[in-house]
Amino acid sequence: MSVFTIDHVKKTFTNGEIEEEILKGVNLSLKEGEITALIGPSGSGKSTILTIAAGLQRASGGEILFEGKDMTKMSQEEIRHVRATDFGFVFQSSHLVPFLTVEEQLQLMLDVAETKTSKKEQAKAIDEMLKLVEMQHRKDAYPSSLSGGERQRVAIARAIIHRPKILFADEPTASLDTKRSKGVMELLQELTRTLHLTTLMVTHDEEMLRYVDRVITMRDGYIVE
Amino acid sequence: MKIAWKEMKKSKAKFLILGSIIFLVSFLTFIISGLANGLSQDNAALIKDLPDGQFYLSKDADSTYNLSKIDEEVQKQILIDNPNATAFSVQMGFVNDAEDKQHSVAFVASTESKLFENVKDGEIVLDSSLKEDGIEVGDVLTNNQFSGEFIVKGFVEQQKYSHAPVAFIGMTNYQEIYRVMEMQTIFIPGKDAPTLSALDSFSNKEFLHAIPSYSAEQMSLNMIVWFLVIISGMLFAIFFYMMNVQKIGLYGILKAIGMKTISLFKMIWYQMLVITAISLVLSIALSQAFSFVTPEGMPFHLTMDTVWMLSAVFMTVGFIGATISGIQVKKIEPLQAIQQGEM
């Protein structure tokens, strides 16, 4: 069943008098419980469509349907609310808040998502999530003292602690070595299954495609297969 | 606000540097302001320390204190009609001590009043700064235009006029020294002082400007202080703006995970408030302490009114600077902010 639909989405960047069309009408739908991978050469528009879908930037045209609502017509505040409650995002270079410990990163996400649970329940949820990503032993550590793989695991935990419906991941293994990349992908696969997430990720590493359910290839702003 | 505080705790050095800049700038402003006020006190403490009321000068004086001469009959009638009224004159002059050394003073003579020292003829009461010149109670002082002698009867604190210590003398002695029978001004304390058709009236503030050199000096000093306040204010605003623009990547991440814009504003304002408040408390404390260690001859007068007013200005401009950067953060899309932060 499709939970998220991208319909003929376009994105045009204007640089002075030059207009460059990055996305030329992208159609895509995501199914619950599946990991969908977007692949393609640099400049094909895969990261752009991911960030537009995640509500991090606006589309120039087309529709993005989530739970029956067109996100392209939502106000900034409505999009923020969707990002805070229904979406999770894993960035290429983790982008953790540098002055918060691992535990505080997750607490921040729960606060932002305005989960109506008690502090005790929140602490339990954080503990469980850290156990799930095998980071419980580093819960008091700051990002600067974590390895690249550990940072990415914390970033994944932060992206899903509030139980979002859709997880977006932009090249989550790009800054990791092969062993750590596999660890992160196994984790994403397991979490997508166990938490019934819908995951859309961008990758350039074909090695990682064996962990995904569906592969979509982009080229020159179009989906080609 | 927890997140704002955590950032400050983790990035102590950054916030300490910013705080110390704000502390130094505000401290400098307080000191300059204290010195300007001190000079102002040194110029006209005699007048500034009088209660609110009305000053009267003769109409032909053209609003200039030195040129005013109040007709004796008019003065007499006013003093009868207004029991609180005081007629007085202030003129620059010299007294010679026992070793014939000259000391510059501002002679003040007045009709009987609670507002001025009432001294008998042949007596003199001096500002306490003359003690530093070795003058003591009981010393005999002379004046080249005065046939008699003055016996020092006592000292008063902080009574200065035109940067000279005040010397209170009797009216008859004053009239002999300056060869004049009329007083220069009449002062009636109170808010409901009457309008006198024969004389021009002035409020306390207006009267200060009738003193030669006071206006010019104060305008220059106020100009210095306000330029400093404006420059300091701009520095405050720029520093807060720069600090937040530098953190645009962080705000991008927080926006990306769905943090409300108002929460980002609260974070920015909280940090501004904490840094500015701590810096101001320190600079207020130090500037007050400074007033105790200033050399005797250095006029320094920093009132709490001035301190609160300047603090409010700094808080306001800090708030404006922080808010402008907040608006920048509000406008930018999360992805753009993250990308800018990576540059």
Side-chain angles (χ1 to χ4, degrees), chain A residues 57 80 83 95 104 114, chain B residues 6 255 258 260 333 342:
Chain A
Q57 60 175 329
R80 181 208 65 78
R83 277 204 310 268
H95 283 313
E104 288 164 351
E114 291 175 344
Chain B
K6 277 182 193 300
K255 279 186 94 164
K260 284 181 180 170
E333 284 189 348
E342 283 170 347

Side-chain angles (χ1 to χ4, degrees), chain A residues 51 55-58 76-77 80 83-84 91 93 95-100 104 108-109 112 114 119 142 144 158, chain B residues 2-4 6-8 10-11 250 252-261 267 331 333-336 338 342:
Chain A
T51 50
L56 296 180
Q57 60 175 329
R58 293 271 187 179
Q76 284 289 1
E77 174 51 26
R80 181 208 65 78
R83 277 204 310 268
F91 298 93
S93 48
H95 283 313
L96 297 174
V97 179
F99 49 83
L100 297 182
E104 288 164 351
L108 172 69
M109 193 60 234
V112 167
E114 291 175 344
K119 284 281 160 199
Y142 285 98
S144 57
R158 182 182 67 180
Chain B
K2 236 160 65 182
I3 186 169
K6 277 182 193 300
E7 188 189 6
M8 293 176 80
K10 189 80 171 84
S11 314
L250 169 71
I253 297 165
L254 296 174
K255 279 186 94 164
I257 65 169
M259 189 178 266
K260 284 181 180 170
T261 307
M267 183 177 169
K331 278 184 189 164
E333 284 189 348
L335 187 68
Q336 199 188 346
I338 293 168
E342 283 170 347

Side-chain angles (χ1 to χ4, degrees), chain A residues 5-11 23-27 48-49 52-53 58-64 72 221:
Chain A
T5 308
I6 292 170
D7 186 17
H8 210 67
V9 164
K10 291 181 178 181
K11 181 69 179 175
L23 299 178
K24 296 164 181 167
V26 174
N27 299 308
T48 306
I49 191 67
I52 287 174
R58 293 271 187 179
S60 307
E63 281 185 345
I64 300 168
T72 60

Side-chain angles (χ1 to χ4, degrees), chain B residues 30-49:
Chain B
F30 287 148
I31 294 297
I32 299 290
S33 187
L35 290 170
N37 277 341
L39 276 172
S40 164
Q41 278 293 111
D42 209 45
N43 200 350
L46 178 78
I47 306 300
K48 288 178 93 173
D49 291 345

Side-chain angles (χ1 to χ4, degrees), chain B residues 94-113:
Chain B
F94 297 93
V95 286
N96 300 333
D97 61 18
E99 289 159 10
D100 217 25
K101 190 180 165 194
Q102 280 196 328
H103 303 272
S104 176
V105 293
F107 283 115
V108 178
S110 71
T111 55
E112 202 173 313
S113 165

